[in-house]
Amino acid sequence: MWNILTTDTFDQWFDAQNDHDRARVLASLIVLRERGPKVKKTLRRQY
């Protein structure tokens, strides 16, 4: 499992998003944490 580190800038941006967008970003971060940097490009295409 990979650690996901965020910056203060990201955290402020994330907090400013609506619930739907935060859920989508969080889902992507969870996949990244589980699979690491080898996540297929299809993950990016969801957005």
Side-chain angles (χ1 to χ4, degrees):
M1 184 178 307
W2 290 79
N3 290 326
I4 303 296
L5 304 176
T6 63
T7 64
D8 290 339
T9 302
F10 173 84
D11 294 341
Q12 290 172 358
W13 170 84
F14 184 78
D15 290 342
Q17 304 308 303
N18 63 44
D19 289 343
H20 175 76
D21 291 340
R22 275 196 308 267
R24 292 183 64 154
V25 171
L26 185 57
S28 295
L29 290 175
I30 290 169
V31 170
L32 179 61
R33 182 185 69 187
E34 297 297 322
R35 297 185 187 171
K38 295 184 180 182
V39 173
K40 291 184 179 182
K41 291 181 182 180
T42 55
L43 181 63
R44 292 187 303 157
R45 292 185 194 141
Q46 293 177 6
Y47 303 101

